[in-house]
Amino acid sequence: MDGQWAVVVGAALGASGAVVGALTSWASARLQARAHVNVARLQQSAAHDAETTARRRAAYSDLILSVDTARRHMRMVRQHVLAPGPGGDELEARQAAVHDRIREMQAAEWVLRLMLPDDEQAAVTELTNAVYASHQALIEDVDEWLEQAPVDGARAPGGTPRYEGRASELQAQMMSFAGAAHARLYA
């Protein structure tokens, strides 16, 4: 029986070695699979964060560019008031262009607002309020200029004191907004 016993013990040892090897392989494969899943999750999260940041960057850029475009169109209306000449159609066209740029700004504003958490909304509100205040000041200055009686079919050059005060505030607000946006996006 000693020979048969040795065969049984040898077979048992071989089988237990195979079982231990299989369990070790299984555990190793499981850890490796878990590591691959975690790496894939990190890659997906990083890609999502990068895409979100790129979209926010584009939305911030669109808003600040639309504000700047509206500001430039307001300056064109201001220049019209400062130059001698008739009011009329050219002034109305420039004022309509300002209104169109403000509507574009509002669209860009809401695209950005949909991406921002509540704590970042205040900066957008401050910037857009500065645009509205500048626009309102320009409207008041233009209305005052239009109330002047034309001399020989042309109006005398007028001033835009309300607008000039608000325009510098708008410029400062734009710079502040751009700096804060940069800090948020690149921090």
Side-chain angles (χ1 to χ4, degrees):
M1 290 256 266
D2 286 333
Q4 291 176 348
W5 181 248
V7 170
V8 171
V9 169
L13 285 174
S16 65
V19 168
V20 169
L23 288 174
T24 303
S25 294
W26 174 77
S28 175
R30 184 177 165 149
L31 286 173
Q32 190 174 18
R34 186 174 295 154
H36 284 296
V37 167
N38 288 340
V39 166
R41 283 184 184 151
L42 286 174
Q43 288 174 334
Q44 190 274 335
S45 177
H48 181 266
D49 290 347
E51 183 178 333
T52 300
T53 300
R55 286 184 180 181
R56 284 180 68 190
R57 187 177 299 127
Y60 271 113
S61 176
D62 287 347
L63 178 60
I64 199 74
L65 288 175
S66 66
V67 167
D68 188 53
T69 302
R71 182 181 62 87
R72 282 187 286 120
H73 278 81
M74 284 189 267
R75 285 177 54 204
M76 288 179 204
V77 170
R78 175 184 170 267
Q79 288 170 348
H80 186 87
V81 171
L82 295 177
D89 296 337
E90 185 179 343
L91 177 61
E92 288 178 19
R94 288 183 179 184
Q95 288 176 315
V98 170
H99 290 286
D100 291 342
R101 300 302 79 80
I102 288 177
R103 278 191 286 279
E104 291 170 2
M105 180 203 70
Q106 290 168 334
E109 170 192 359
W110 284 104
V111 167
L112 180 59
R113 282 188 185 278
L114 291 172
M115 294 181 189
L116 296 180
D118 290 342
D119 60 332
E120 294 180 26
Q121 298 281 335
V124 176
T125 301
E126 290 171 6
L127 178 62
T128 55
N129 284 346
V131 172
Y132 298 141
S134 292
H135 185 231
Q136 184 60 40
L138 181 62
I139 289 171
E140 291 170 4
D141 286 340
V142 169
D143 287 347
E144 184 177 292
W145 179 70
L146 289 173
E147 288 175 2
Q148 297 173 0
V151 178
D152 297 328
R155 295 190 188 280
T160 55
R162 292 179 201 95
Y163 172 74
E164 289 171 17
R166 294 294 185 168
S168 61
E169 292 173 19
L170 175 58
Q171 181 67 29
Q173 189 63 39
M174 287 172 63
M175 297 306 291
S176 173
F177 181 81
H182 184 272
R184 282 187 200 102
L185 292 170
Y186 295 100

